[in-house]
Amino acid sequence: MSRRSRRVLLAGGVSVMTIAIAGGTGLALVGGSEQPPPARPPGANAAVEKTTLREHKTITGALGYAGRTEVAAVSAGQLTWRPPAGRIIRLGQRLYQCDGVDVVLLYGKQPAWRQLKNGTEGPDVRQLESSLARLGFTGFTVDDTYSKATADAVRRWQKQRGIKQSGVVDPASIWFAPEPVRVLARKSGLGQPLTAGTPVLSVTSLRRVVTLQVKIDERELVNKGVAVTVTLPGGTKAKGRISAIGTTVSNSGADQGQDGQKIKVTVTLTGRLPADMYDSGPAEVSLVSGQKKGVLAVPISALLAMPGGGYGVMLVQADGTGRTIKVKTGMFAGGKVEVTSADLSAGDRVEVPS
Protein backbone atom coordinates (compact mmCIF):
# COMPACT_ATOMS: atom_id res chain seq x y z
CA MET A 1 0.00 0.00 0.00
CA SER A 2 1.39 3.42 -0.96
CA ARG A 3 1.97 6.21 1.49
CA ARG A 4 -0.76 8.17 -0.25
CA SER A 5 -3.23 5.29 0.20
CA ARG A 6 -2.35 5.08 3.87
CA ARG A 7 -3.00 8.81 4.18
CA VAL A 8 -6.49 8.38 2.75
CA LEU A 9 -7.40 5.48 5.08
CA LEU A 10 -6.03 7.32 8.07
CA ALA A 11 -8.17 10.33 7.23
CA GLY A 12 -11.19 8.06 7.02
CA GLY A 13 -10.41 6.53 10.41
CA VAL A 14 -10.22 9.93 12.04
CA SER A 15 -13.65 10.77 10.66
CA VAL A 16 -15.20 7.58 12.19
CA MET A 17 -13.64 8.25 15.58
CA THR A 18 -14.94 11.83 15.59
CA ILE A 19 -18.48 10.70 14.83
CA ALA A 20 -18.34 8.05 17.55
CA ILE A 21 -17.17 10.52 20.22
CA ALA A 22 -19.58 13.27 19.26
CA GLY A 23 -22.62 11.02 18.84
CA GLY A 24 -22.08 7.86 20.89
CA THR A 25 -25.80 7.67 21.77
CA GLY A 26 -26.64 7.45 18.13
CA LEU A 27 -24.35 4.44 17.70
CA ALA A 28 -25.95 2.66 20.67
CA LEU A 29 -29.40 2.96 19.09
CA VAL A 30 -28.36 0.66 16.26
CA GLY A 31 -27.30 -2.04 18.65
CA GLY A 32 -23.55 -1.22 18.55
CA SER A 33 -23.13 -2.75 15.06
CA GLU A 34 -20.19 -1.51 12.92
CA GLN A 35 -20.90 1.32 10.53
CA PRO A 36 -19.76 0.84 6.90
CA PRO A 37 -16.60 2.82 6.06
CA PRO A 38 -17.42 6.26 4.74
CA ALA A 39 -17.03 7.02 1.07
CA ARG A 40 -13.59 8.28 0.08
CA PRO A 41 -13.50 12.09 0.19
CA PRO A 42 -14.04 13.43 -3.33
CA GLY A 43 -10.92 14.86 -4.97
CA ALA A 44 -9.83 16.15 -8.36
CA ASN A 45 -9.51 13.49 -11.01
CA ALA A 46 -8.82 13.22 -14.71
CA ALA A 47 -9.74 10.80 -17.49
CA VAL A 48 -7.35 8.28 -18.96
CA GLU A 49 -7.10 9.27 -22.64
CA LYS A 50 -6.26 7.30 -25.74
CA THR A 51 -4.38 9.92 -27.71
CA THR A 52 -1.32 10.91 -29.73
CA LEU A 53 1.62 12.28 -27.78
CA ARG A 54 4.18 14.52 -29.46
CA GLU A 55 7.57 15.65 -28.20
CA HIS A 56 8.71 19.06 -29.44
CA LYS A 57 12.02 20.79 -30.00
CA THR A 58 12.07 24.60 -30.06
CA ILE A 59 14.41 26.48 -32.40
CA THR A 60 14.73 30.27 -32.38
CA GLY A 61 14.65 32.02 -35.74
CA ALA A 62 14.25 35.51 -37.19
CA LEU A 63 10.86 37.03 -38.01
CA GLY A 64 10.67 38.98 -41.24
CA TYR A 65 9.13 39.25 -44.69
CA ALA A 66 9.53 36.94 -47.69
CA GLY A 67 10.70 37.72 -51.21
CA ARG A 68 13.29 40.46 -50.83
CA THR A 69 13.95 42.18 -54.18
CA GLU A 70 15.96 45.20 -55.31
CA VAL A 71 14.20 47.82 -57.45
CA ALA A 72 16.68 49.37 -59.88
CA ALA A 73 16.24 52.37 -62.16
CA VAL A 74 15.60 51.50 -65.81
CA SER A 75 16.66 54.83 -67.30
CA ALA A 76 18.78 57.85 -66.42
CA GLY A 77 17.30 60.78 -64.52
CA GLN A 78 16.98 62.29 -61.08
CA LEU A 79 15.15 60.68 -58.18
CA THR A 80 12.32 63.07 -57.28
CA TRP A 81 10.24 60.89 -54.91
CA ARG A 82 10.54 57.57 -53.08
CA PRO A 83 8.33 56.02 -50.41
CA PRO A 84 9.37 55.53 -46.76
CA ALA A 85 10.33 52.18 -45.31
CA GLY A 86 7.25 50.21 -44.28
CA ARG A 87 5.01 51.66 -47.02
CA ILE A 88 2.87 49.09 -48.87
CA ILE A 89 2.60 49.62 -52.63
CA ARG A 90 -0.30 48.01 -54.48
CA LEU A 91 -1.44 47.62 -58.08
CA GLY A 92 -1.46 50.91 -59.98
CA GLN A 93 0.31 52.92 -57.27
CA ARG A 94 3.61 54.75 -57.81
CA LEU A 95 6.72 52.97 -56.67
CA TYR A 96 9.11 55.88 -57.12
CA GLN A 97 9.46 58.96 -59.31
CA CYS A 98 12.19 59.84 -61.78
CA ASP A 99 12.35 63.35 -63.28
CA GLY A 100 8.87 63.98 -61.91
CA VAL A 101 7.35 60.98 -63.71
CA ASP A 102 5.83 58.12 -61.70
CA VAL A 103 7.08 54.55 -62.04
CA VAL A 104 3.94 52.46 -61.43
CA LEU A 105 3.63 48.99 -59.90
CA LEU A 106 1.81 46.42 -62.06
CA TYR A 107 1.36 42.71 -61.36
CA GLY A 108 3.36 40.07 -63.22
CA LYS A 109 6.31 37.73 -62.90
CA GLN A 110 8.27 38.88 -65.95
CA PRO A 111 10.17 42.18 -65.72
CA ALA A 112 9.41 45.09 -68.01
CA TRP A 113 12.11 45.06 -70.67
CA ARG A 114 10.77 46.60 -73.87
CA GLN A 115 8.35 49.17 -75.22
CA LEU A 116 4.78 47.86 -75.52
CA LYS A 117 2.67 49.18 -78.39
CA ASN A 118 0.12 48.17 -81.01
CA GLY A 119 1.23 44.89 -82.62
CA THR A 120 3.56 43.76 -79.79
CA GLU A 121 3.09 40.13 -78.74
CA GLY A 122 4.26 38.15 -75.73
CA PRO A 123 3.61 37.26 -72.08
CA ASP A 124 4.57 40.77 -70.93
CA VAL A 125 1.62 42.07 -72.97
CA ARG A 126 -0.70 39.69 -71.11
CA GLN A 127 0.67 40.97 -67.79
CA LEU A 128 -0.02 44.56 -68.80
CA GLU A 129 -3.53 43.80 -70.05
CA SER A 130 -4.37 41.79 -66.92
CA SER A 131 -3.28 44.69 -64.69
CA LEU A 132 -5.20 47.25 -66.78
CA ALA A 133 -8.36 45.15 -66.55
CA ARG A 134 -7.99 44.87 -62.76
CA LEU A 135 -7.64 48.65 -62.60
CA GLY A 136 -10.91 49.05 -64.52
CA PHE A 137 -9.51 49.88 -67.96
CA THR A 138 -11.15 47.30 -70.23
CA GLY A 139 -12.49 46.94 -73.80
CA PHE A 140 -9.92 44.37 -74.99
CA THR A 141 -9.29 40.65 -74.65
CA VAL A 142 -6.60 39.72 -72.13
CA ASP A 143 -4.12 37.80 -74.29
CA ASP A 144 -0.58 38.00 -75.62
CA THR A 145 -1.40 40.56 -78.35
CA TYR A 146 -1.26 44.34 -77.90
CA SER A 147 -4.20 45.44 -80.06
CA LYS A 148 -5.73 48.82 -80.96
CA ALA A 149 -8.26 48.20 -78.17
CA THR A 150 -5.35 47.71 -75.76
CA ALA A 151 -3.82 51.01 -76.91
CA ASP A 152 -7.17 52.79 -76.34
CA ALA A 153 -7.30 51.43 -72.77
CA VAL A 154 -3.71 52.55 -72.20
CA ARG A 155 -4.60 56.09 -73.34
CA ARG A 156 -7.46 56.24 -70.84
CA TRP A 157 -5.08 55.02 -68.11
CA GLN A 158 -2.47 57.61 -69.11
CA LYS A 159 -5.10 60.37 -69.05
CA GLN A 160 -6.06 59.43 -65.50
CA ARG A 161 -2.40 59.60 -64.50
CA GLY A 162 -1.99 63.01 -66.11
CA ILE A 163 0.74 62.03 -68.56
CA LYS A 164 1.03 62.07 -72.36
CA GLN A 165 -1.69 59.90 -73.92
CA SER A 166 0.48 58.02 -76.40
CA GLY A 167 -1.07 54.56 -76.13
CA VAL A 168 2.49 53.24 -75.78
CA VAL A 169 3.97 51.89 -72.53
CA ASP A 170 7.65 52.59 -71.87
CA PRO A 171 9.48 50.00 -69.70
CA ALA A 172 10.93 52.83 -67.60
CA SER A 173 7.42 53.82 -66.47
CA ILE A 174 6.30 50.48 -64.99
CA TRP A 175 7.69 47.81 -62.67
CA PHE A 176 6.22 44.30 -62.44
CA ALA A 177 5.90 42.25 -59.22
CA PRO A 178 3.74 39.15 -58.59
CA GLU A 179 1.89 40.83 -55.71
CA PRO A 180 1.84 43.98 -53.53
CA VAL A 181 5.22 44.94 -52.12
CA ARG A 182 6.40 46.45 -48.86
CA VAL A 183 9.28 48.91 -48.85
CA LEU A 184 12.10 47.50 -46.75
CA ALA A 185 14.64 50.27 -47.30
CA ARG A 186 15.50 53.27 -49.45
CA LYS A 187 18.64 52.78 -51.52
CA SER A 188 18.98 56.23 -53.09
CA GLY A 189 18.47 59.76 -51.78
CA LEU A 190 16.19 62.45 -53.17
CA GLY A 191 17.83 64.36 -55.96
CA GLN A 192 20.38 61.63 -56.59
CA PRO A 193 21.23 61.13 -60.27
CA LEU A 194 20.09 57.72 -61.49
CA THR A 195 21.50 55.60 -64.25
CA ALA A 196 20.17 52.30 -65.55
CA GLY A 197 20.74 49.74 -62.80
CA THR A 198 21.04 52.19 -59.90
CA PRO A 199 19.36 50.65 -56.80
CA VAL A 200 16.37 52.75 -55.76
CA LEU A 201 14.49 50.61 -53.22
CA SER A 202 14.65 47.27 -51.47
CA VAL A 203 11.19 45.68 -51.26
CA THR A 204 9.61 42.48 -49.99
CA SER A 205 6.30 40.70 -50.33
CA LEU A 206 3.67 41.02 -47.58
CA ARG A 207 4.07 37.37 -46.56
CA ARG A 208 5.42 36.93 -43.03
CA VAL A 209 8.09 34.30 -42.49
CA VAL A 210 10.45 33.00 -39.85
CA THR A 211 13.91 31.94 -41.01
CA LEU A 212 15.66 29.18 -39.05
CA GLN A 213 19.14 27.70 -39.08
CA VAL A 214 18.70 23.95 -38.45
CA LYS A 215 21.60 21.61 -37.72
CA ILE A 216 22.04 19.00 -40.43
CA ASP A 217 21.84 16.18 -37.87
CA GLU A 218 18.31 17.45 -37.06
CA ARG A 219 17.26 17.57 -40.72
CA GLU A 220 14.64 14.86 -40.12
CA LEU A 221 12.68 17.31 -37.93
CA VAL A 222 11.76 19.49 -40.92
CA ASN A 223 9.70 18.52 -43.95
CA LYS A 224 8.17 20.85 -46.50
CA GLY A 225 4.47 21.47 -45.94
CA VAL A 226 4.45 20.38 -42.28
CA ALA A 227 2.42 22.58 -39.91
CA VAL A 228 4.24 24.12 -36.93
CA THR A 229 3.51 26.44 -34.03
CA VAL A 230 5.35 29.77 -33.83
CA THR A 231 5.76 31.98 -30.76
CA LEU A 232 6.06 35.57 -31.97
CA PRO A 233 7.94 38.39 -30.21
CA GLY A 234 5.78 39.31 -27.22
CA GLY A 235 4.54 35.74 -26.69
CA THR A 236 1.62 35.52 -29.13
CA LYS A 237 1.15 32.10 -30.75
CA ALA A 238 0.68 31.77 -34.50
CA LYS A 239 0.32 28.96 -37.02
CA GLY A 240 2.94 28.32 -39.63
CA ARG A 241 3.98 25.89 -42.33
CA ILE A 242 7.46 24.89 -43.49
CA SER A 243 7.65 26.41 -46.98
CA ALA A 244 11.30 26.00 -47.99
CA ILE A 245 14.31 23.91 -46.98
CA GLY A 246 17.75 25.00 -48.11
CA THR A 247 20.16 22.73 -49.95
CA THR A 248 23.33 24.60 -49.01
CA VAL A 249 25.15 23.71 -45.79
CA SER A 250 26.90 26.53 -43.96
CA ASN A 251 28.88 26.88 -40.75
CA SER A 252 26.99 29.16 -38.38
CA GLY A 253 28.03 30.82 -35.14
CA ALA A 254 31.07 29.90 -33.09
CA ASP A 255 30.90 26.22 -34.10
CA GLN A 256 33.04 25.71 -37.19
CA GLY A 257 33.03 21.92 -37.14
CA GLN A 258 30.29 19.46 -37.98
CA ASP A 259 28.20 20.63 -35.00
CA GLY A 260 28.00 24.06 -36.62
CA GLN A 261 26.83 22.83 -40.03
CA LYS A 262 23.32 24.09 -40.66
CA ILE A 263 20.74 24.55 -43.39
CA LYS A 264 18.30 27.41 -43.86
CA VAL A 265 14.62 26.59 -43.25
CA THR A 266 11.78 29.00 -43.96
CA VAL A 267 8.44 28.90 -42.13
CA THR A 268 5.58 30.88 -43.67
CA LEU A 269 3.03 32.17 -41.16
CA THR A 270 -0.57 31.21 -41.93
CA GLY A 271 -4.00 32.10 -40.60
CA ARG A 272 -4.98 35.28 -38.81
CA LEU A 273 -2.06 37.31 -37.48
CA PRO A 274 -2.06 40.06 -34.82
CA ALA A 275 -2.67 43.55 -36.19
CA ASP A 276 0.10 44.95 -33.96
CA MET A 277 2.62 42.32 -34.97
CA TYR A 278 6.30 43.35 -34.93
CA ASP A 279 8.11 43.69 -38.25
CA SER A 280 11.14 41.75 -37.05
CA GLY A 281 12.61 40.05 -34.01
CA PRO A 282 13.32 36.59 -32.58
CA ALA A 283 10.56 34.00 -32.98
CA GLU A 284 10.43 30.43 -31.65
CA VAL A 285 9.33 27.55 -33.86
CA SER A 286 8.13 24.33 -32.22
CA LEU A 287 9.07 21.23 -34.26
CA VAL A 288 7.80 17.69 -33.60
CA SER A 289 10.80 15.61 -32.53
CA GLY A 290 8.93 12.45 -31.52
CA GLN A 291 5.43 11.02 -31.76
CA LYS A 292 3.41 8.08 -30.46
CA LYS A 293 -0.11 7.38 -31.68
CA GLY A 294 -2.97 5.62 -29.91
CA VAL A 295 -1.40 5.42 -26.45
CA LEU A 296 -3.04 5.71 -23.02
CA ALA A 297 -2.02 8.91 -21.26
CA VAL A 298 -2.68 10.64 -17.94
CA PRO A 299 -1.53 13.99 -16.50
CA ILE A 300 2.04 13.74 -15.19
CA SER A 301 0.77 14.93 -11.79
CA ALA A 302 -1.28 11.71 -11.47
CA LEU A 303 1.88 9.60 -11.07
CA LEU A 304 2.66 8.16 -7.63
CA ALA A 305 6.08 6.87 -6.56
CA MET A 306 5.74 3.18 -5.67
CA PRO A 307 7.62 1.42 -2.85
CA GLY A 308 10.61 -0.32 -4.33
CA GLY A 309 10.66 1.94 -7.40
CA GLY A 310 8.49 2.62 -10.40
CA TYR A 311 5.23 4.50 -10.67
CA GLY A 312 1.56 3.97 -10.09
CA VAL A 313 -1.72 5.86 -10.30
CA MET A 314 -4.71 6.05 -7.99
CA LEU A 315 -7.62 4.58 -9.95
CA VAL A 316 -10.95 6.11 -8.90
CA GLN A 317 -13.49 3.27 -8.74
CA ALA A 318 -17.24 3.40 -9.31
CA ASP A 319 -18.06 3.48 -5.59
CA GLY A 320 -15.78 6.47 -5.05
CA THR A 321 -12.97 4.52 -3.41
CA GLY A 322 -9.45 4.49 -4.75
CA ARG A 323 -7.13 1.67 -5.76
CA THR A 324 -3.44 2.08 -6.45
CA ILE A 325 -2.27 0.26 -9.57
CA LYS A 326 1.25 0.04 -10.92
CA VAL A 327 1.91 1.41 -14.41
CA LYS A 328 4.76 1.40 -16.88
CA THR A 329 5.57 4.88 -18.16
CA GLY A 330 6.60 5.82 -21.70
CA MET A 331 6.75 9.16 -23.51
CA PHE A 332 6.37 12.40 -21.56
CA ALA A 333 4.92 15.25 -23.64
CA GLY A 334 2.70 18.29 -23.21
CA GLY A 335 2.10 17.74 -19.49
CA LYS A 336 0.99 14.13 -20.06
CA VAL A 337 2.67 10.76 -19.78
CA GLU A 338 2.13 7.49 -21.61
CA VAL A 339 1.06 4.72 -19.20
CA THR A 340 0.61 0.97 -19.68
CA SER A 341 -1.26 -1.37 -17.31
CA ALA A 342 -3.61 -4.33 -17.72
CA ASP A 343 -5.85 -2.65 -15.12
CA LEU A 344 -6.22 0.63 -17.00
CA SER A 345 -8.47 1.53 -19.94
CA ALA A 346 -9.42 4.67 -21.84
CA GLY A 347 -12.18 6.52 -19.96
CA ASP A 348 -11.06 5.38 -16.50
CA ARG A 349 -10.43 8.21 -14.04
CA VAL A 350 -7.33 8.71 -11.94
CA GLU A 351 -6.72 11.03 -9.02
CA VAL A 352 -4.70 14.19 -9.52
CA PRO A 353 -3.71 16.82 -6.94
CA SER A 354 -6.51 19.33 -6.38
Side-chain angles (χ1 to χ4, degrees):
M1 180 181 299
S2 72
R3 183 179 301 175
R4 188 169 180 178
S5 299
R6 289 197 294 271
R7 283 202 305 269
V8 171
L9 293 179
L10 178 59
V14 172
S15 299
V16 173
M17 290 173 63
T18 303
I19 294 170
I21 293 170
T25 306
L27 290 175
L29 292 175
V30 293
S33 61
E34 281 190 20
Q35 295 295 307
R40 192 165 169 273
N45 58 75
V48 178
E49 298 179 87
K50 188 171 186 179
T51 187
T52 297
L53 291 181
R54 296 182 178 89
E55 293 176 330
H56 291 83
K57 177 179 178 64
T58 298
I59 298 179
T60 300
L63 175 67
Y65 290 84
R68 178 170 177 165
T69 305
E70 301 301 311
V71 178
V74 176
S75 61
Q78 193 172 48
L79 183 63
T80 50
W81 182 85
R82 78 273 198 263
R87 174 73 60 83
I88 295 173
I89 314 295
R90 303 185 186 277
L91 178 68
Q93 297 178 340
R94 66 176 175 174
L95 192 59
Y96 67 94
Q97 195 178 73
C98 181
D99 288 343
V101 178
D102 291 344
V103 177
V104 177
L105 176 67
L106 299 180
Y107 290 168
K109 294 182 178 180
Q110 188 177 53
W113 59 279
R114 60 176 175 169
Q115 191 179 72
L116 301 178
K117 58 185 179 180
N118 192 9
T120 307
E121 295 185 355
D124 49 348
V125 173
R126 181 181 291 272
Q127 289 182 168
L128 171 68
E129 291 182 338
S130 176
S131 292
L132 287 173
R134 293 180 64 173
L135 289 169
F137 299 95
T138 57
F140 52 83
T141 300
V142 177
D143 55 19
D144 289 349
T145 301
Y146 197 115
S147 65
K148 181 180 181 300
T150 306
D152 290 340
V154 167
R155 289 188 185 94
R156 296 194 302 273
W157 178 49
Q158 290 171 331
K159 181 179 180 180
Q160 185 194 67
R161 293 171 55 199
I163 62 175
K164 183 180 177 181
Q165 300 164 43
S166 64
V168 177
V169 178
D170 190 280
S173 67
I174 58 175
W175 194 79
F176 284 113
E179 54 192 346
V181 297
R182 178 183 181 276
V183 178
L184 180 65
R186 294 164 164 174
K187 293 295 186 178
S188 296
L190 283 179
Q192 179 176 332
L194 302 177
T195 58
T198 302
V200 178
L201 300 170
S202 178
V203 299
T204 69
S205 73
L206 305 188
R207 289 175 287 118
R208 306 307 309 271
V209 296
V210 176
T211 304
L212 308 174
Q213 295 294 329
V214 177
K215 292 183 178 180
I216 57 173
D217 60 0
E218 295 177 333
R219 170 62 180 82
E220 70 278 1
L221 300 184
V222 292
N223 289 287
K224 193 172 180 179
V226 171
V228 296
T229 300
V230 179
T231 303
L232 301 172
T236 303
K237 302 286 185 182
K239 295 179 180 179
R241 194 169 294 277
I242 297 175
S243 54
I245 300 174
T247 57
T248 301
V249 177
S250 62
N251 282 85
S252 176
D255 296 324
Q256 295 300 311
Q258 187 170 347
D259 288 344
Q261 293 181 347
K262 297 180 180 181
I263 55 172
K264 180 181 176 181
V265 175
T266 302
V267 174
T268 298
L269 301 186
T270 59
R272 191 178 184 87
L273 297 174
D276 58 349
M277 186 173 168
Y278 292 98
D279 287 339
S280 61
E284 295 181 342
V285 177
S286 180
L287 303 172
V288 176
S289 58
Q291 177 173 280
K292 279 195 173 182
K293 296 182 178 180
V295 298
L296 295 182
V298 298
I300 294 175
S301 59
L303 292 180
L304 301 172
M306 299 292 286
Y311 293 97
V313 295
M314 180 71 73
L315 180 64
V316 179
Q317 302 185 110
D319 61 359
T321 60
R323 178 166 66 96
T324 303
I325 60 173
K326 190 167 185 176
V327 297
K328 181 180 179 181
T329 59
M331 177 182 285
F332 288 75
K336 297 180 181 180
V337 56
E338 174 191 0
V339 290
T340 305
S341 171
D343 297 323
L344 210 58
S345 302
D348 287 344
R349 303 201 71 84
V350 294
E351 188 181 78
V352 294
S354 56

